Short mmCIF file of all heavy atoms in Angstrom, two decimals:
data_model
loop_
_atom_site.label_atom_id
_atom_site.label_comp_id
_atom_site.label_asym_id
_atom_site.label_seq_id
_atom_site.Cartn_x
_atom_site.Cartn_y
_atom_site.Cartn_z
N ALA A 2 134.30 132.09 89.37
CA ALA A 2 134.66 131.45 88.12
C ALA A 2 135.49 130.19 88.33
O ALA A 2 135.70 129.43 87.41
CB ALA A 2 135.42 132.43 87.24
N MET A 7 135.03 122.41 86.12
CA MET A 7 135.50 121.41 87.08
C MET A 7 134.67 120.13 86.96
O MET A 7 133.46 120.18 86.78
CB MET A 7 135.38 121.93 88.52
CG MET A 7 136.51 122.77 88.98
SD MET A 7 136.31 123.12 90.74
CE MET A 7 137.57 122.07 91.39
N LEU A 9 133.47 117.01 89.05
CA LEU A 9 133.32 116.66 90.46
C LEU A 9 132.61 115.33 90.64
O LEU A 9 131.64 115.04 89.94
CB LEU A 9 132.52 117.74 91.18
CG LEU A 9 133.04 119.17 91.03
CD1 LEU A 9 132.07 120.14 91.68
CD2 LEU A 9 134.42 119.30 91.64
N MET A 25 123.39 123.21 92.88
CA MET A 25 124.34 124.27 93.23
C MET A 25 125.61 124.18 92.37
O MET A 25 126.07 125.19 91.84
CB MET A 25 124.73 124.20 94.71
CG MET A 25 123.65 124.65 95.66
SD MET A 25 124.31 124.57 97.35
CE MET A 25 122.94 125.25 98.27
N ALA A 104 142.35 111.72 107.99
CA ALA A 104 142.00 110.63 107.06
C ALA A 104 142.34 110.98 105.61
O ALA A 104 142.18 110.14 104.73
CB ALA A 104 140.52 110.29 107.19
N ALA A 111 130.29 121.99 106.26
CA ALA A 111 129.28 121.65 107.26
C ALA A 111 127.87 121.83 106.68
O ALA A 111 127.59 122.85 106.06
CB ALA A 111 129.45 122.53 108.50
N PRO A 113 123.91 122.45 107.26
CA PRO A 113 123.56 122.94 105.93
C PRO A 113 124.55 124.00 105.48
O PRO A 113 125.20 124.64 106.31
CB PRO A 113 122.17 123.54 106.14
CG PRO A 113 122.15 123.97 107.56
CD PRO A 113 123.04 123.01 108.29
N ARG A 131 147.01 122.27 94.62
CA ARG A 131 147.90 122.82 93.58
C ARG A 131 149.23 123.24 94.19
O ARG A 131 150.29 123.00 93.63
CB ARG A 131 147.25 124.01 92.89
CG ARG A 131 146.31 123.65 91.81
CD ARG A 131 145.90 124.86 90.98
NE ARG A 131 144.75 124.52 90.19
CZ ARG A 131 143.60 125.16 90.20
NH1 ARG A 131 143.44 126.22 90.94
NH2 ARG A 131 142.61 124.76 89.45
#
Side-chain angles (χ1 to χ4, degrees):
M7 277 187 107
L9 306 174
M25 287 183 176
R131 276 191 195 124

